[in-house]
Amino acid sequence: MKVATDIGGTFTDLVAIDSAGRLIMEKSHTTPPNFDQGVMDVLAKSGLEPKSIEAFFHGTTTIINALTERTGAKTALITTKGFRDVLELARGNRPDLFNLVFKKPEPFVPRYLRREVTERMSYKGEVITPLNEDDIVREVAYLKKEKVEAIAVCYINSYANDAHERRTVEKIRELWPEVYVCASVDITKEWREYERTSTAVLNAYVMPTASSYIDRLGQRLTEKGISGPRYIMQSNGGTTTFDQAKVTPINVVESGPVAGVFGSSILGKLIGESNIIAFDVGGTTAKCSLIDNGEVKVTTSYYIERDERHAGYPIMAPVVDIVEIGNGGGSIAWIDDAGSLKVGPRSAGALPGPVAYGKGGTDPTTTDANLVAGRLSPVNFDMDVSMDHVRTALQEKVGGALGVGVEEAAESIIRVADSNMNNALKLISVRRGYDPRDFTMVAFGGGGPIHGPTLARELNIRKVIVPVAASVFSAWGMLMSDIRHDYIQTKILPLKDASMEELNGMWKSLMETAGTQFRNEGIPEGQAVFSFLADMRYMGQEHTVQVAAPSYPWKEEDRAELLSRFHKTHEHFYTFSLPDTPAEIVNLHLVAYGQLAKPALEEIPVQEGSIESARKETRRVFFSGDGWLDTPVYDRTKLGQGARAVGPLIVEETTTATVVCPGQKLTVDRYGDLIVETEVS
Amino acid sequence: MAEQVNINPVTLDIVKDSLIAASNEIFYAFAQTSMSPIIYETLDYASGIADADGRLLTQGNGVTGFIGMISPMICAVADKYGKENLHPGDVYIINDPFMGGGTHMSDVGMVMPIFYKGELIAFAGNKAHWSDIGGMAPGSFSTDATNMYQEGMCFSGTKLVDRGELVEPVWDLMRSNMRYPQISQGDMWGQISSLRTGEKRICELCDKYGADVVKGSMKRLIEQGESVARKRLKEMPKGTWEMDECMDDDGHGNPVHMQVKVTITDDEFLADFTGSDPQVVGCVNSGATAAYAGVKVVFMSVIGPELAVNDGVFAPLRTICEPGSVLQANRPAATSCYYESMIYVIDLVWRALAPAFPDSLGAGHLLSVCTVLMSGKHQDFGNDYLIIEPTVGGWGACRGHDGQVGLFCVGDGETYNVPVEMAETRYGIRIDEFSLHTDGAGAGEYRGGSGAVRVYRSMNDNQLFTASFGRNKWPVWGAAGGRDGSINYFRFIDADGTVSEPMGIVARRVMNKNDVVRMITATGGGYGDPFKRPPEKVAMDVKNEYITAEQAEKDYGVLVDPETFAVLGLTDERKKAAAAR
């Protein structure tokens, strides 16, 4: 049996699939700061036999928490002479344009711990100034005295030649074996020194946290008798081993959220859909990501703590491209200065939570509006919901200001929340040259199924899938994942003159690095699969587009093929191509998968007779555009394979509800997924 | 329009959000495809959507300096041709410094009327700094220009695309008069295609909600902007504040005097620049735009930097400049460094209002864009390259926090420096150093942010270096008892060891292989009495080498052990000052 546990803000989820393909789901409270306790709790609660667990998958917020709560290690930076302030100068940008008392993000390493070593590489990777090892000795002595716990090493142009960085790390390990140390090239060989330095520094900063967490969790699993291989979810949508995650913990920063996106792509493959929009609505945010032809999109332009007004910290590690907005079930509805209704980004969080939770929340949220609108049922919560409190809050904070009654206030909140989510969904689709009609939405998280079908109708998405494990879908995704490593090498080469030999040499070297990595992780050679990507642009441009490249080895005719794919991709994203302008390669990007065995899924029983037996009640429900309608409500657990119905209707389960609009067609597939056809032509 | 009474306000808000989203979309799409570093790194461009009367609805900005310039450009085109003579698919090109929100000719504006079912419903416009538009110097601006004809080609609202088709003769003429037509062609299509995206999005909104709802939401957007601005204005301190300053240099060694009187009443925010110097022979002149835009920047910062920029917000604002003055120059004045005047305007208004708005305005900052232009041939590839870039420096401290380091001046914004690793690949230079300039200036209870050091080594012969570093004579100002910061300058260290004098402005200075230029930017002003800075913070400043132990003693009155960085005590002066308080 394979087991996945996923630590979220409020709950730690467990999903397991046994040898018969049966799905087991469990939830337990998250237990900060000792998150491993929550994992052990949910394992115990699930009643799974430890010996039967053959493989253990894990998603954790430990790394992102250590970063955002600033609980990582005392970290130093060793860098090239003349460049110790790169980390503090950053890129000079001030996104909050008219704020003249703007504050930049403060560097994770203060100036006195940023140390310089004499060495220099040229942009071509030639040694201009040899590495002065005496400088390393001097600086290590200083940093010992300052009692730092972790050291990042990042030199100028190391992406072109990593010899000095590697030697420096080696030397530091000789001089001070106990200290945590990493080189920037351990994580990426992409150019841009500030971004690479920031990545290395943040990695070093969380290394001690990651090591102690992973070691402790590993030990407790062993004590419990769980002995199989252990994997941790990375931000790139694949997994890695516990050991590797201690070396490059920064690759685990978006561990949880990406698993849901990856799961969506797998679910799509199972049911024959390759173009997917993954849509995940949680308590505080809505996240969406587009999967084009089965490929989860990965980017290295990722930042933490960045928004319209804050520059944030770059992490140049591959992360699934997700658009996230502050619009979840707990997002607060409020009236702005000009009298307009807004929803989010402020959230009531888990505490006090929506008014409905009765934990002292007085600000109305999207969840509260969904209750008043009949889309959620107060009896389907695992606490007593006082509808009087909910209605009062809506009337006082929203209805009064807008001059409308409580029901119209609820309608308005839902419309604004839907509009926010609609704009995020457009951002990943139409605004990037994709037609939503070619896509299927996978809606999950507590709020995805509530809002998904309405949004799909707005956007002309034809089909919505609400998976069986909708509320623990990230954990489900982990169970289906492979090991994945991304290797990126910056090398500027005009496509016209680039030597195929040189390019193939670079691919070969990346593949060898991947091979070594897989051997260390115990992945047999036969299970390694490579995919090849090239970041390309027109000469003179700065930004690149990612092109799916031909497989290794590249032959002479692949030059024309790559060029034509590049023109097409550019035209797709930016509506034009420049066929007469020469193109160049900026990065080679190797994606290496170590394929893991996938569990088979069990089919649910066939629907016998009418679905009336599954009907819980009929109630008045508000639908945008259609108003209030008498709506039948069904119990998801009582719907069998092949069950069919036409909206308006609601399908309820313990943690969410699927709201099907008038005219939309619901069917239940053989695995129990709800399929909503939106009748968009 | 009576029918609008029946439209649900939530619907109007939803359409309004979609208009803003469309504006953001056209803004970002452009940077992604641009071939000019000044666009994709400096984000020296803006785009916006206006209603059928040319009133600005929403603007995407990469830099503050373009604030409010989209709308005048649209109005100028509409006035020139008459709205009835505009057609779907038309695009007009405009960069005339003396009409329609003109700045310098390097900023190329494009305007597109948007029609829905035959009715003119909106305009989209954008304005971007092109790498070159012809004229006497690479990059089209030169610190020694004396008239506009040296600064490139001028377009006064010329039709570039006629009903969807490029007007080939116009492009043909442009191509023959520019140094980098390939780059400009890319930027031209980038601008046109982003306007077309704007057109498409607005028509989609009309399809979905109906043209009346879209027009209603445009109206609501402007009305809401005005109502919030008026409400906030009422809450502001009222009075009159005056300030005058000299800009260091007009490009020919002469200081330029400017002055302002700001009057805030319940109904108006008035900035009057009457009394500022007449237009000058150098290129720091500006059409009326610089003062208008400069005042808008400070206005936004005090009224609410988070507010969406539209013409409603600016309703209470009024700016007065005298025709023929350096801030409202007449044709054919040179304007390629107009932005330095604009930033002096910002600095002047900022300094005048700082005591009245201590939560929004701190001490002075490096002030200048510190523009660098360098051209030549790459030592390995032999291609022509051109650097046009601003330089980061120190910002002033303000009530509650120390000054920031490594930021571009107020005229820039979401502007990115070119990474060392990219510059060395793309340009004929090696960068020997990029670090903080820790001169220890700007002492205060809150310390001014350090300036920067950026050192370029020429990797080839016959490279041309042009730079304009303002604030090169009189240092950055401190506030509320904080000390002044420092100045911007650069100097050349040639391969033979000759070291030049420090300078602020130079045009096309030849650099040969291994000649070095060392560029230094100013440290920001301090805020508050340095004797009030906690001794432990002063000791950390010494440990971090932002200041020396001597400065800790002299400026802050704190004795710090230079080995252990422990606080050893306070000087008698500091003790005396504390006792006197």
Side-chain angles (χ1 to χ4, degrees):
Chain A
M1 153 159 15
K2 299 175 95 183
V3 176
T5 57
D6 178 29
I7 300 177
T10 317
F11 292 107
T12 297
D13 299 337
L14 176 145
V15 172
I17 297 177
D18 68 14
S19 49
R22 228 179 9 238
L23 197 67
I24 298 126
M25 294 186 267
E26 195 53 80
K27 266 178 184 291
S28 175
H29 281 279
T30 293
T31 53
N34 300 314
F35 291 99
D36 49 307
Q37 186 55 47
V39 177
M40 303 321 288
D41 289 350
V42 78
L43 275 167
K45 203 171 159 190
S46 72
L48 295 177
E49 169 57 38
K51 297 238 165 0
S52 70
I53 299 176
E54 298 149 330
F56 180 85
F57 293 80
H58 187 52
T60 177
T61 51
T62 319
I63 303 306
I64 189 80
N65 289 347
L67 290 170
T68 56
E69 291 161 14
R70 303 293 191 273
T71 52
K74 183 170 183 183
T75 304
L77 169 68
I78 289 184
T79 188
T80 307
K81 192 170 164 53
F83 297 93
R84 75 152 149 166
D85 293 322
V86 160
L87 194 69
E88 188 168 353
L89 288 158
R91 297 295 301 278
N93 59 315
R94 191 169 48 83
D96 197 2
L97 293 182
F98 302 108
N99 174 8
L100 303 186
V101 290
F102 174 78
K103 277 174 92 170
K104 278 173 84 161
E106 222 166 281
F108 274 73
V109 179
R111 195 160 195 258
Y112 75 96
L113 295 178
R114 305 197 298 258
R115 314 301 296 179
E116 295 183 347
V117 162
T118 304
E119 72 82 39
R120 188 69 149 87
M121 291 286 175
S122 79
Y123 77 95
K124 289 187 284 191
E126 308 149 327
V127 177
I128 301 171
T129 309
L131 179 65
N132 183 333
E133 298 202 7
D134 294 344
D135 285 2
I136 304 172
V137 174
R138 182 193 68 221
E139 294 309 335
V140 167
Y142 173 87
L143 296 175
K144 265 188 185 170
K145 204 182 75 194
E146 288 292 346
K147 299 191 172 62
V148 306
E149 299 157 276
I151 304 173
V153 181
C154 184
Y155 292 145
I156 297 287
N157 291 328
S158 64
Y159 75 93
N161 181 346
D162 61 9
H164 286 177
E165 265 188 27
R166 299 255 184 240
R167 175 59 197 146
T168 303
V169 166
E170 200 175 270
K171 183 83 185 170
I172 294 170
R173 289 208 177 108
E174 282 166 26
L175 293 164
W176 193 5
E178 304 79 32
V179 79
Y180 288 92
V181 56
C182 71
S184 77
V185 292
D186 289 339
I187 304 146
T188 181
K189 285 188 171 180
E190 250 189 287
W191 66 354
R192 291 178 191 242
E193 68 281 356
Y194 166 63
E195 284 77 359
R196 209 173 58 251
T197 306
S198 168
T199 306
V201 160
L202 296 182
N203 190 64
Y205 181 75
V206 295
M207 278 173 93
T209 313
S211 278
S212 68
Y213 172 72
I214 290 168
D215 286 344
R216 201 169 54 241
L217 178 60
Q219 196 191 335
R220 296 190 69 176
L221 291 173
T222 305
E223 283 165 8
K224 194 135 198 245
I226 300 172
S227 60
R230 293 153 190 175
Y231 303 104
I232 202 156
M233 194 73 199
Q234 301 190 108
S235 326
N236 65 0
T239 56
T240 189
T241 56
F242 272 28
D243 280 343
Q244 179 62 31
K246 293 195 283 182
V247 181
T248 50
I250 206 67
N251 284 337
V252 178
V253 68
E254 284 286 342
S255 191
V258 303
V261 178
F262 179 77
S264 302
S265 77
I266 293 295
L267 183 64
K269 279 177 191 146
L270 284 173
I271 60 175
E273 299 282 352
S274 57
N275 289 336
I276 301 276
I277 288 175
F279 181 57
D280 175 7
V281 183
T284 54
T285 66
K287 305 184 193 82
C288 46
S289 184
L290 184 134
I291 298 155
D292 178 12
N293 202 17
E295 291 297 323
V296 172
K297 287 182 179 296
V298 164
T299 161
T300 56
S301 309
Y302 172 80
Y303 293 80
I304 56 166
E305 299 178 19
R306 181 182 177 92
D307 60 29
E308 286 170 358
R309 307 196 179 280
H310 299 93
Y313 301 87
I315 296 177
M316 220 180 213
V319 177
V320 171
D321 195 3
I322 294 178
V323 167
E324 182 167 13
I325 58 164
N327 207 108
S331 293
I332 291 170
W334 55 288
I335 308 291
D336 76 1
D337 246 10
S340 288
L341 172 65
K342 302 276 175 189
V343 178
R346 206 161 65 81
S347 165
L351 255 183
V355 181
Y357 288 9
K359 291 183 189 163
T362 54
D363 291 320
T365 64
T366 306
T367 295
D368 296 311
N370 277 321
L371 272 162
V372 171
R375 290 146 54 105
L376 291 177
S377 164
V379 296
N380 202 31
F381 279 69
D382 59 2
M383 67 265 294
D384 287 334
V385 174
S386 158
M387 282 308 289
D388 283 348
H389 285 158
V390 172
R391 295 174 76 91
T392 307
L394 245 73
Q395 185 57 47
E396 278 178 2
K397 300 272 171 78
V398 174
L402 295 180
V404 299
V406 64
E407 288 177 350
E408 199 176 337
E411 296 168 26
S412 301
I413 293 169
I414 291 165
R415 290 184 63 203
V416 171
D418 279 348
S419 161
N420 291 343
M421 291 188 268
N422 193 25
N423 278 328
L425 288 164
K426 277 185 185 165
L427 191 64
I428 61 159
S429 56
V430 276
R431 292 195 201 140
R432 292 185 187 169
Y434 294 101
D435 185 342
R437 275 174 291 207
D438 302 334
F439 287 80
T440 294
M441 175 189 278
V442 176
F444 56 99
I450 303 173
H451 297 273
T454 309
L455 292 167
R457 188 172 62 171
E458 283 265 304
L459 279 163
N460 295 331
I461 292 171
R462 287 161 197 256
K463 198 191 275 183
V464 180
I465 304 171
V466 178
V468 168
S471 72
V472 290
F473 193 61
S474 283
W476 187 88
M478 287 173 203
L479 282 186
M480 300 293 162
S481 61
D482 291 317
I483 292 190
R484 170 173 174 161
H485 300 300
D486 289 68
Y487 303 91
I488 301 174
Q489 172 72 58
T490 296
K491 180 83 185 174
I492 316 295
L493 287 170
L495 185 60
K496 192 162 65 70
D497 321 314
S499 137
M500 282 296 161
E501 202 186 331
E502 184 180 4
L503 285 164
N504 283 327
M506 284 163 55
W507 282 126
K508 190 148 176 281
S509 144
L510 293 176
M511 286 160 68
E512 279 165 7
T513 312
T516 310
Q517 179 80 42
F518 281 152
R519 268 194 299 286
N520 293 340
E521 290 171 336
I523 300 291
E525 214 162 297
Q527 286 169 24
V529 173
F530 296 119
S531 110
F532 302 83
L533 302 167
D535 294 331
M536 297 181 66
R537 64 186 180 193
Y538 290 112
M539 293 268 243
Q541 280 182 334
E542 161 50 28
H543 296 279
T544 57
V545 295
Q546 195 175 70
V547 182
S551 298
Y552 173 87
W554 284 1
K555 295 171 286 297
E556 194 45 50
E557 57 266 32
D558 288 327
R559 199 188 298 274
E561 174 61 24
L562 191 61
L563 185 66
S564 114
R565 290 189 198 182
F566 166 65
H567 287 314
K568 259 186 232 147
T569 314
H570 195 278
E571 175 135 13
H572 170 82
F573 285 116
Y574 302 117
T575 72
F576 67 93
S577 60
L578 299 168
D580 300 332
T581 305
E584 63 187 2
I585 293 172
V586 174
N587 296 314
L588 296 185
H589 181 164
L590 176 75
V591 186
Y593 298 97
Q595 292 182 315
L596 303 175
K598 304 287 177 301
L601 297 177
E602 184 194 40
E603 295 191 9
I604 63 162
V606 174
Q607 173 74 32
E608 302 288 346
S610 148
I611 64 164
E612 274 313 300
S613 55
R615 188 194 286 234
K616 290 168 90 173
E617 60 171 328
T618 298
R619 63 177 187 247
R620 303 269 292 163
V621 176
F622 170 75
F623 290 88
S624 291
D626 299 289
W628 292 80
L629 302 171
D630 285 329
T631 305
V633 179
Y634 300 96
D635 181 345
R636 183 165 188 176
T637 57
K638 294 184 181 158
L639 292 175
Q641 186 180 149
R644 286 173 186 280
V646 178
L649 66 92
I650 287 178
V651 179
E652 282 182 354
E653 56 197 288
T654 5
T655 46
T656 185
T658 302
V659 180
V660 181
C661 303
Q664 295 184 334
K665 292 196 188 100
L666 170 80
T667 41
V668 179
D669 79 0
R670 58 195 163 128
Y671 303 115
D673 304 309
L674 305 182
I675 314 281
V676 179
E677 282 166 288
T678 58
E679 286 218 307
V680 166
S681 50
Chain B
M1 282 187 268
E3 75 272 16
Q4 277 178 26
V5 177
N6 297 324
I7 301 171
N8 183 327
V10 172
T11 305
L12 293 178
D13 285 338
I14 287 169
V15 176
K16 195 182 83 183
D17 288 346
S18 303
L19 282 170
I20 294 170
S23 171
N24 289 339
E25 179 183 0
I26 64 179
F27 180 75
Y28 288 107
F30 182 40
Q32 294 291 317
T33 58
S34 174
M35 299 200 172
S36 305
I38 190 146
I39 289 165
Y40 60 70
E41 294 289 5
T42 309
L43 265 68
D44 195 353
Y45 71 98
S47 61
I49 297 173
D51 67 10
D53 294 324
R55 290 183 302 172
L56 183 72
L57 297 169
T58 160
Q59 181 167 342
N61 288 295
V63 298
T64 57
F66 280 143
I67 185 168
M69 291 183 186
I70 298 292
S71 168
M73 182 172 94
I74 288 167
C75 293
V77 167
D79 288 349
K80 177 168 174 173
Y81 292 90
K83 279 188 203 167
E84 65 285 4
N85 296 314
L86 306 178
H87 300 104
D90 285 354
V91 177
Y92 299 83
I93 179 168
I94 176 168
N95 71 339
D96 189 327
F98 304 102
M99 71 183 278
T103 52
H104 54 181
M105 288 190 292
S106 302
D107 293 336
V108 177
M110 299 224 186
V111 171
M112 178 184 229
I114 296 174
F115 291 82
Y116 183 72
K117 293 187 175 161
E119 181 193 358
L120 178 68
I121 189 164
F123 285 93
N126 52 27
K127 193 173 175 79
H129 188 136
W130 284 21
S131 290
D132 188 273
I133 187 85
M136 72 173 178
S140 308
F141 60 114
S142 181
T143 51
D144 58 351
T146 56
N147 64 62
M148 65 185 285
Y149 309 111
Q150 298 163 328
E151 298 173 320
M153 280 175 292
C154 183
F155 301 95
S156 308
T158 306
K159 191 183 278 190
L160 179 66
V161 179
D162 184 10
R163 297 170 224 222
E165 296 296 321
L166 185 69
V167 182
E168 287 289 345
V170 174
W171 169 238
D172 194 51
L173 184 68
M174 289 164 67
R175 186 168 40 203
S176 304
N177 286 282
M178 295 188 301
R179 288 177 181 79
Y180 313 102
Q182 189 121 17
I183 292 179
S184 300
Q185 184 187 15
D187 287 347
M188 179 182 80
W189 282 114
Q191 273 182 270
I192 294 171
S193 94
S194 92
L195 295 179
R196 287 177 174 168
T197 303
E199 178 188 37
K200 193 166 160 216
R201 295 291 175 252
I202 287 180
C203 290
E204 282 167 4
L205 280 176
C206 292
D207 283 341
K208 183 163 175 186
Y209 295 97
D212 286 340
V213 173
V214 173
K215 284 192 280 187
S217 312
M218 291 175 171
K219 190 160 166 271
R220 180 172 169 87
L221 219 161
I222 288 180
E223 283 170 357
Q224 285 189 335
E226 179 166 353
S227 87
V228 173
R230 295 214 177 273
K231 192 168 134 200
R232 302 241 176 129
L233 189 68
K234 290 215 160 48
E235 295 158 4
M236 276 188 187
K238 304 292 163 356
T240 297
W241 295 270
E242 292 184 58
M243 186 58 61
D244 71 312
E245 269 199 270
C246 267
M247 185 173 175
D248 309 68
D249 196 330
D250 69 347
H252 298 270
N254 313 304
V256 184
H257 169 260
M258 293 181 197
Q259 65 181 65
V260 72
K261 187 160 119 183
V262 183
T263 306
I264 303 178
T265 64
D266 273 347
D267 308 310
E268 193 175 58
F269 185 109
L270 170 67
D272 184 351
F273 294 91
T274 303
S276 298
D277 272 358
Q279 68 188 67
V280 298
V281 69
C283 64
V284 298
N285 299 297
S286 153
T289 312
Y292 284 71
V295 173
K296 279 176 181 164
V297 171
V298 184
F299 177 72
M300 285 302 293
S301 81
V302 296
I303 205 158
E306 79 289 357
L307 295 181
V309 172
N310 62 55
D311 271 352
V313 173
F314 299 135
L317 185 61
R318 192 153 65 96
T319 302
I320 299 172
C321 304
E322 289 172 293
S325 71
V326 67
L327 295 177
Q328 191 168 339
N330 293 322
R331 219 174 185 88
T335 60
S336 48
C337 293
Y338 87 96
Y339 53 86
E340 289 287 316
S341 297
M342 179 184 72
I343 299 163
Y344 269 87
V345 163
I346 298 175
D347 194 59
L348 208 56
V349 181
W350 175 347
R351 193 171 180 180
L353 294 181
F357 295 88
D359 294 323
S360 309
L361 301 169
H365 77 317
L366 80 157
L367 190 139
S368 176
V369 175
C370 295
T371 315
V372 174
L373 279 103
M374 192 167 168
S375 59
K377 283 195 190 303
H378 193 280
Q379 72 278 11
D380 294 321
F381 312 126
N383 58 301
D384 290 320
Y385 75 86
L386 174 68
I387 299 176
I388 308 180
E389 63 181 8
T391 311
V392 295
W395 275 54
C398 49
R399 191 156 84 179
H401 65 86
D402 287 346
Q404 302 294 293
V405 307
L407 286 179
F408 293 103
C409 78
V410 65
D412 287 307
E414 186 58 353
T415 302
Y416 289 72
N417 60 27
V418 179
V420 170
E421 291 173 349
M422 280 189 186
E424 294 191 348
T425 307
R426 199 187 281 270
Y427 309 137
I429 57 167
R430 183 183 299 155
I431 299 183
D432 285 356
E433 182 177 346
F434 183 35
S435 63
L436 292 176
H437 177 53
T438 50
D439 57 7
E445 181 180 357
Y446 299 100
R447 185 171 48 75
S450 305
V453 179
R454 203 162 161 99
V455 181
Y456 288 180
R457 174 179 298 271
S458 175
M459 299 301 286
N460 210 346
D461 288 340
N462 296 314
Q463 315 220 41
L464 299 179
F465 182 90
T466 296
S468 164
F469 281 38
R471 191 52 102 200
N472 55 41
K473 284 198 190 98
W474 295 292
V476 175
W477 47 276
R483 304 280 165 76
D484 285 351
S486 46
I487 59 168
N488 302 300
Y489 65 95
F490 52 89
R491 65 167 94 224
F492 297 94
I493 302 143
D494 289 339
D496 65 4
T498 314
V499 180
S500 77
E501 288 299 306
M503 46 182 102
I505 290 179
V506 75
R508 300 186 296 287
R509 201 269 195 188
V510 174
M511 289 180 75
N512 291 318
K513 189 164 184 190
N514 280 320
D515 289 350
V516 164
V517 59
R518 195 173 166 81
M519 296 167 274
I520 309 285
T521 57
T523 293
Y527 190 96
D529 182 355
F531 281 181
K532 288 192 189 158
R533 188 168 177 83
E536 308 71 46
K537 272 191 165 183
V538 176
M540 269 319 283
D541 289 342
V542 177
K543 185 169 188 178
N544 277 315
E545 299 173 78
Y546 294 117
I547 64 172
T548 61
E550 292 71 39
Q551 286 166 331
E553 180 176 345
K554 194 167 125 279
D555 297 338
Y556 294 89
V558 179
L559 304 168
V560 177
D561 184 317
E563 293 295 318
T564 65
F565 308 104
V567 175
L568 300 174
L570 301 177
T571 60
D572 291 343
E573 289 92 318
R574 180 159 172 159
K575 284 181 194 154
K576 252 184 254 164
R581 272 202 294 273

